[in-house]
Amino acid sequence: MNKLKLSLISLLFSFLSFNIFGEKQYNLEVFVDGLDHPWSLVELSSGEFLLTELPGNLKLISQDGSSIKEIANVPEVLFRGQGGLSDIVLHPNYKDNGWIYYSYSAYIDDQKELNTLFVDRAKIEDFELVSIENIFIAKANRKAPAHFGAKLFFLEDGTLMITSGDGFDYRESAQFLNNHFGKVLRINDDGSIPSNNPFLNIPGALPEIWSYGIRNPQGIFQDKNGLIYENEHGPRGGDELNILRPGVNYGWPAITHGIDYSGALISPFKEMEGMEQPLYYWTPSIAPSGMTIYEKDLFPEWKDKIMISNLVYKDVRILALNEKKEVIKEEILFKEIGKRIRNIITLSNGELMLITDKKNAQLIKVKKI
Amino acid sequence: MNKLKLSLISLLFSFLSFNIFGEKQYNLEVFVDGLDHPWSLVELSSGEFLLTELPGNLKLISQDGSSIKEIANVPEVLFRGQGGLSDIVLHPNYKDNGWIYYSYSAYIDDQKELNTLFVDRAKIEDFELVSIENIFIAKANRKAPAHFGAKLFFLEDGTLMITSGDGFDYRESAQFLNNHFGKVLRINDDGSIPSNNPFLNIPGALPEIWSYGIRNPQGIFQDKNGLIYENEHGPRGGDELNILRPGVNYGWPAITHGIDYSGALISPFKEMEGMEQPLYYWTPSIAPSGMTIYEKDLFPEWKDKIMISNLVYKDVRILALNEKKEVIKEEILFKEIGKRIRNIITLSNGELMLITDKKNAQLIKVKKI
């Protein structure tokens, strides 16, 4: 097909999707209200939703949002600071095997002095978690409940990515491979180690590590071409969007585009040999939270764009990349909500679900007008 | 013309202008380098430019940027804090009468204790200001050189708008009509008072006042439909975009969407009877600087959009409004420059000129690829 033909087809496509009179193409609908620190959501093939709330609630929400049922038998979580019941994803073969995966923070000792990040898998029967198996405990014990990362994503090869934050007080550990602070990890669906993880032959390195030098990763998503995108909170400034590659060092805290909350320099370096630069960054911080790549057709103007919700500006950033994977456009969406946005999820029908933050929070559906 | 026809024409138009392969439609060219606190710029019909620098320099720049000549006889200005030689505009009939108008801060007393905002007009002959006439001195005397506003704009009716900031330490004065703190003012081209200013019959009110309850207005622009847009710095958050109407109270500091730098509340109120809400606001602050409305055809994708440069995020915000004057889209541009952007000006050929901030600053031209 020649370029002109392609142009005309794309043109027709954008004609169908883009309202040239400048009206919004979406409606925002409060789908569920009155939630308590909701954090993540997954859509089941039945059209129902499973929602996590940080205090340790797992909720089954009906297709139309009108009915909410508690799922019992959730493990005891540490709901304090940034900790609690966090992400939830389905096994790629969920339809056949019924496995759901969820992350949470919890104490590791009876004295309740140290806590870390856990990942379990379980099935649901009669509104109860059953067959619970713990498949991962981060070697990242901390005193304060901060910077867990705690995002989960199943790659197309069936392995599970886990983001693990630097624990705030342990930032130097992000540069060392003998712990799980400030890393993105990759395990098999049963918790075993994939045979092609990058550091398997490095003495002393933990085998789950996929990439390191990361701060507090709050979004992870693999696009249809197999690229893995990750976003993370910088210190004060230096929030990053990265493309994750195995074995790569993303530099935290040796290099950063941000400064400490105290105003002190963390590092005089913004770049260093052998450390990867972010694809894109925000200074000052926007506090990115969830991330999705929009690969549906309902809103063609968002097709293949990266959507990142954020807490500081209470909006969603939509990033367009060119073929060289440079960000060529940043647009601001959903600012009219006026609430910290904790997460953004693409639904199977092409609508989006936004999750607002903290107490008395909402699920907000982005629907086509 | 029916809607479909109009759609198809607009469609063709956007086809001509918008690269569907996602490449940038502009080049950035450093037009002039090594400037000292440049602040504003105006294009002459000859294609040359007049540039102000805060320290008190007025420069004539050749069409291609290669030659810069100083204009002599600029009045002594107070170059300190946010003060100095500030905005510059041409009289609507500049071609016939040669009047240029410029704003600046200067001491009002020999003891150099108090300063305020001045506006002069003058002509240029042999690289020198001549026929200098002071046409306005703000009744807004202050000790610290802060929050002058100092933007100028000639309306289509031939009157001159002057923005006058709240002086930082005098914010309550913005609510009182007996001074020029926190106001937008309107005068005739010779400094006299237009007969239809809103407060002429209010005892004690200063006759120049057009609207009030404003903080530190850094951008003013009238669109082709006659609407006057103004942007201003909020305290910590609450940066605003307003449409200015005569006699209207924009609420500062009685109502604000921001908080004090100390973290203290300035006002518990975000709205109040008789006070106008902003058209749009940014919390936290972006520190908006210059503003232009793009009414040229060179970049059709920006047509009729509001472009606001900013200092904190070092980019330009491009706002699309619908017919109801609601902001329906905010896009981020020119972030790749990585420098505080002090001003943005539309040139007669449809290109844009960006001015970076502080020392060793640049004029950057936005050209069509």
Side-chain angles (χ1 to χ4, degrees), chain A residues 6-7 10-11 15 20-23 280-285 312-313 317 322 328-332 335, chain B residues 6-7 10-11 15 20-23 280-285 312-313 317 322 328-332 335:
Chain A
L6 196 66
S7 299
S10 303
L11 182 67
F15 173 57
I20 56 171
F21 297 102
E23 293 301 318
Y280 197 67
Y281 69 90
W282 291 268
T283 293
S285 291
V312 171
Y313 280 90
R317 302 302 165 106
N322 64 13
I328 54 163
K329 200 174 204 179
E330 177 179 358
E331 194 187 319
I332 295 174
K335 186 168 161 163
Chain B
L6 195 65
S7 299
S10 303
L11 182 67
F15 173 58
I20 56 171
F21 297 101
E23 294 302 318
Y280 198 67
Y281 69 90
W282 291 268
T283 294
S285 290
V312 170
Y313 281 89
R317 302 303 166 106
N322 63 13
I328 54 163
K329 200 173 206 178
E330 177 179 358
E331 194 187 319
I332 295 174
K335 186 168 161 161

Side-chain angles (χ1 to χ4, degrees), chain B residues 11-264:
Chain B
L11 182 67
L12 184 67
F13 198 56
S14 76
F15 173 58
L16 294 172
S17 66
F18 183 71
N19 182 328
I20 56 171
F21 297 101
E23 294 302 318
K24 275 181 194 167
Q25 290 303 286
Y26 62 83
N27 263 335
L28 297 176
E29 173 198 298
V30 176
F31 183 69
V32 178
D33 212 341
L35 296 169
D36 184 14
H37 295 78
W39 215 81
S40 196
L41 175 123
V42 74
E43 184 185 8
L44 304 175
S45 50
S46 63
E48 297 167 296
F49 303 93
L50 281 172
L51 174 81
T52 56
E53 292 178 330
L54 278 183
N57 310 318
L58 182 59
K59 290 178 167 172
L60 181 71
I61 302 174
S62 64
Q63 217 170 345
D64 63 358
S66 66
S67 140
I68 300 182
K69 291 184 179 139
E70 287 276 345
I71 303 297
N73 210 20
V74 175
E76 193 176 343
V77 306
L78 168 60
F79 170 55
R80 197 157 60 78
Q82 297 166 344
L85 181 61
S86 304
D87 208 2
I88 183 163
V89 292
L90 303 181
H91 190 284
N93 299 321
Y94 169 78
K95 270 192 210 173
D96 300 325
N97 62 28
W99 284 121
I100 62 165
Y101 290 71
Y102 50 90
S103 60
Y104 58 100
S105 45
Y107 287 113
I108 58 152
D109 51 355
D110 291 340
Q111 295 75 38
K112 299 197 172 180
E113 278 182 3
L114 292 172
N115 71 85
T116 193
L117 174 69
F118 292 69
V119 179
D120 287 1
R121 67 173 176 178
K123 302 182 184 191
I124 297 179
E125 275 179 32
D126 295 332
F127 305 106
E128 190 176 346
L129 289 183
V130 296
S131 310
I132 297 178
E133 293 178 11
N134 172 258
I135 60 160
F136 175 74
I137 302 176
K139 293 189 176 65
N141 297 343
R142 68 201 71 197
K143 287 183 181 166
H147 288 201
F148 293 100
K151 289 277 169 153
L152 305 175
F153 194 90
F154 267 104
L155 301 185
E156 57 187 352
D157 67 3
T159 60
L160 176 66
M161 297 295 253
I162 304 168
T163 77
S164 180
D166 74 347
F168 189 80
D169 295 322
Y170 310 87
R171 63 190 188 201
E172 283 73 18
S173 301
Q175 284 295 318
F176 303 113
L177 298 172
N178 63 353
N179 68 77
H180 289 139
F181 284 115
K183 309 292 186 310
V184 172
L185 311 165
R186 177 171 173 255
I187 60 176
N188 290 320
D189 64 353
D190 61 356
S192 64
I193 307 297
S195 58
N196 58 351
N197 265 5
F199 295 112
L200 296 186
N201 299 319
I202 306 292
L206 296 183
E208 298 88 354
I209 299 174
W210 173 264
S211 46
Y212 68 111
I214 283 165
R215 193 167 176 273
N216 191 21
Q218 293 291 290
I220 186 162
F221 203 96
Q222 184 178 39
D223 75 6
K224 62 186 179 195
N225 302 314
L227 287 176
I228 302 165
Y229 293 85
E230 171 260 2
N231 75 47
E232 61 183 88
H233 284 205
R236 191 168 132 189
D239 296 346
E240 296 186 0
L241 176 68
N242 292 298
I243 293 181
L244 293 187
R245 294 189 171 88
V248 169
N249 180 356
Y250 291 85
W252 174 255
I255 59 173
T256 176
H257 291 263
I259 55 172
D260 200 12
Y261 286 102
S262 67

Side-chain angles (χ1 to χ4, degrees), chain A residues 211-231:
Chain A
S211 45
Y212 67 112
I214 282 165
R215 193 168 176 274
N216 191 21
Q218 292 293 290
I220 186 161
F221 202 97
Q222 185 178 38
D223 76 5
K224 62 187 178 195
N225 302 314
L227 288 176
I228 303 165
Y229 293 85
E230 171 259 2
N231 74 47

Side-chain angles (χ1 to χ4, degrees), chain A residues 330-346:
Chain A
E330 177 179 358
E331 194 187 319
I332 295 174
L333 281 176
F334 311 134
K335 186 168 161 163
E336 62 270 35
I337 293 171
K339 295 185 170 129
R340 290 160 60 95
I341 303 179
R342 172 52 70 184
N343 215 335
I344 178 167
I345 295 106
T346 307

Side-chain angles (χ1 to χ4, degrees), chain A residues 38-237:
Chain A
W39 214 82
S40 195
L41 175 123
V42 73
E43 183 184 8
L44 304 175
S45 50
S46 63
E48 297 167 298
F49 303 92
L50 281 172
L51 174 81
T52 57
E53 291 178 329
L54 279 182
N57 311 318
L58 182 60
K59 290 177 168 172
L60 182 71
I61 301 174
S62 63
Q63 218 171 342
D64 64 357
S66 66
S67 140
I68 301 181
K69 290 182 176 139
E70 287 275 345
I71 304 296
N73 210 21
V74 175
E76 192 177 342
V77 306
L78 168 59
F79 170 54
R80 198 156 59 78
Q82 297 166 345
L85 181 61
S86 304
D87 209 3
I88 183 162
V89 293
L90 303 180
H91 190 285
N93 299 320
Y94 169 79
K95 270 192 208 172
D96 299 326
N97 62 27
W99 284 121
I100 62 165
Y101 290 71
Y102 50 90
S103 61
Y104 57 102
S105 45
Y107 287 114
I108 58 151
D109 53 354
D110 292 340
Q111 295 75 39
K112 299 197 171 180
E113 278 183 2
L114 293 171
N115 71 85
T116 192
L117 174 69
F118 292 68
V119 180
D120 287 0
R121 67 173 177 178
K123 303 182 184 190
I124 297 179
E125 275 178 30
D126 295 333
F127 305 106
E128 191 176 345
L129 289 182
V130 297
S131 312
I132 295 177
E133 293 178 11
N134 173 258
I135 61 161
F136 175 76
I137 302 176
K139 293 188 176 66
N141 297 343
R142 68 200 73 195
K143 287 183 182 165
H147 287 202
F148 293 100
K151 288 278 168 151
L152 306 175
F153 194 90
F154 268 104
L155 301 185
E156 59 188 350
D157 67 4
T159 60
L160 176 67
M161 297 295 253
I162 304 168
T163 77
S164 179
D166 75 347
F168 188 81
D169 295 322
Y170 310 88
R171 62 190 189 201
E172 283 72 19
S173 301
Q175 284 296 318
F176 303 114
L177 297 172
N178 64 352
N179 67 77
H180 288 140
F181 283 116
K183 309 293 185 311
V184 173
L185 312 166
R186 177 172 173 255
I187 59 176
N188 290 320
D189 64 353
D190 61 355
S192 63
I193 306 296
S195 58
N196 59 350
N197 264 5
F199 295 112
L200 295 186
N201 299 320
I202 306 293
L206 296 183
E208 299 87 353
I209 298 174
W210 174 264
S211 45
Y212 67 112
I214 282 165
R215 193 168 176 274
N216 191 21
Q218 292 293 290
I220 186 161
F221 202 97
Q222 185 178 38
D223 76 5
K224 62 187 178 195
N225 302 314
L227 288 176
I228 303 165
Y229 293 85
E230 171 259 2
N231 74 47
E232 61 183 89
H233 283 204
R236 191 167 131 188

Side-chain angles (χ1 to χ4, degrees), chain A residues 290-355:
Chain A
M291 173 163 61
T292 187
I293 297 178
Y294 191 78
E295 294 177 337
K296 300 289 182 180
D297 297 318
L298 187 66
F299 296 99
E301 65 271 33
W302 299 335
K303 181 93 181 184
D304 294 330
K305 292 182 179 166
I306 298 177
M307 306 182 99
I308 298 177
S309 53
N310 79 76
L311 304 172
V312 171
Y313 280 90
K314 304 173 180 172
D315 57 42
V316 170
R317 302 302 165 106
I318 177 160
L319 302 176
L321 276 61
N322 64 13
E323 286 181 3
K324 288 175 270 177
K325 300 297 165 199
E326 299 160 336
V327 173
I328 54 163
K329 200 174 204 179
E330 177 179 358
E331 194 187 319
I332 295 174
L333 281 176
F334 311 134
K335 186 168 161 163
E336 62 270 35
I337 293 171
K339 295 185 170 129
R340 290 160 60 95
I341 303 179
R342 172 52 70 184
N343 215 335
I344 178 167
I345 295 106
T346 307
L347 303 182
S348 58
N349 65 357
E351 296 176 341
L352 293 163
M353 191 76 91
L354 306 174
I355 304 181

